[in-house]
Amino acid sequence: MIDLKKDTYTILNFNSDLDELIKKYKDTLLTALTDDTQRLIIRHYLRIIDELCRQACECLKNKSYSTLEALSRVVMEQSANKLYVGMDEGNNGRSLLRSSNQLIESNGKAWTAYLESQDAQNPAAQARQKNGASMLSHFNEEWSDVARYPSGKGLFKALGWENHYYAFYAPLCDSVHSFSDEMSALIGIGKIFEHSEVEGVKTLQYWDKERRRLATYHFAVALGLRAEAFARLCELQLGEFKDEKADKLFTKLKNLVETHDNFDHARLDAMSKGLVAYLKFPIKTW
């Protein structure tokens, strides 16, 4: 059985303890970074991810599960960005900046083209294109040999997180763009109601519990990636990273994630044999 109240407390305590661990090593880590651009970017990512996780914890406490799903996706992505920027001597950070300048220019260019096709104009569109081009030109003068920043899949692959990309990040991206997975499920459940109201109600209630479970599970995975990204940064910049409290902390979250993994796998196996999920695999909500 999955107990979401218990899992919620585990996650909230993990994030609080992780915050303390990051505070313990943050200044030492930033001091070890010799590239000013890299240091500034990582410092800001640490702040952004801390803010995202604090807001996600509030969503978890308030049972705002749809918002929690959206935030989990962003925590995963920004943890990946932070780790990638810290993996070399500074060029990865400059790749990120170059990509930003290119996006500003291309967005302004596309907006301007659209307005012209409609016999319209907006000074902000031309300014965006001009500013992007100017920043890109200035950037290329200072750093001419910077490689392209990797795409989402390429970014996760570079970190050894390809499985997490396919298992969690990509589905979350697809889901939060339109919440189409939930819409599809509701339509399917509606068809069950056409045949049996009793079964329809049971299925709807179980689906809502599963929706809450997945949001909780995905946030736990996102926090795991946040923790891993910070630990790997410390290893890269400070040498071997050993902290007894950190090991115990990571183990608790790892056990929670594995419990949900095993629940998923056992339920899929049972359903393949024709068993009804909500009868054999209860989810306790709060």
Side-chain angles (χ1 to χ4, degrees), residues 191-207:
K191 294 185 182 299
I192 297 176
F193 270 92
E194 294 175 3
H195 300 285
S196 170
E197 184 174 350
V198 172
E199 286 301 308
V201 169
K202 289 180 179 179
T203 304
L204 180 62
Q205 289 174 340
Y206 190 78
W207 170 80

Side-chain angles (χ1 to χ4, degrees), residues 17 20-22 24-25 230-231 234-235 240-251:
D17 290 343
E20 291 303 313
L21 185 72
I22 290 173
K24 179 179 177 181
Y25 291 99
F230 185 77
C234 288
E235 287 179 350
E240 190 175 12
F241 180 69
K242 281 192 175 181
D243 187 294
E244 187 176 335
K245 186 176 180 180
D247 291 340
K248 292 179 180 178
L249 182 65
F250 296 164
T251 298

Side-chain angles (χ1 to χ4, degrees), residues 250-269:
F250 296 164
T251 298
K252 288 181 181 179
L253 191 73
K254 181 174 179 285
N255 290 340
L256 186 155
V257 171
E258 286 180 351
T259 297
H260 282 262
D261 285 342
N262 294 335
F263 180 86
D264 267 339
H265 298 161
R267 186 174 58 178
L268 285 169
D269 182 60

Side-chain angles (χ1 to χ4, degrees), residues 159-182:
L159 303 176
W161 287 359
E162 243 180 316
N163 184 63
H164 286 84
Y165 175 86
Y166 289 112
F168 304 107
Y169 179 73
L172 275 173
C173 289
D174 294 340
S175 176
V176 302
H177 283 318
S178 62
F179 287 94
S180 56
D181 289 348
E182 294 187 9

Side-chain angles (χ1 to χ4, degrees), residues 70 82 106 120 129 169 212 269 285:
K82 179 188 70 178
S106 62
Q129 180 180 358
Y169 179 73
R212 300 179 186 199
D269 182 60
T285 56

Side-chain angles (χ1 to χ4, degrees), residues 17 21 37 44 54 112 143 155 163 178 187 204 209 249 270:
D17 290 343
L21 185 72
T37 299
H44 197 51
R54 280 189 285 109
T112 299
W143 298 294
L155 176 63
N163 184 63
S178 62
I187 296 300
L204 180 62
K209 291 179 179 181
L249 182 65

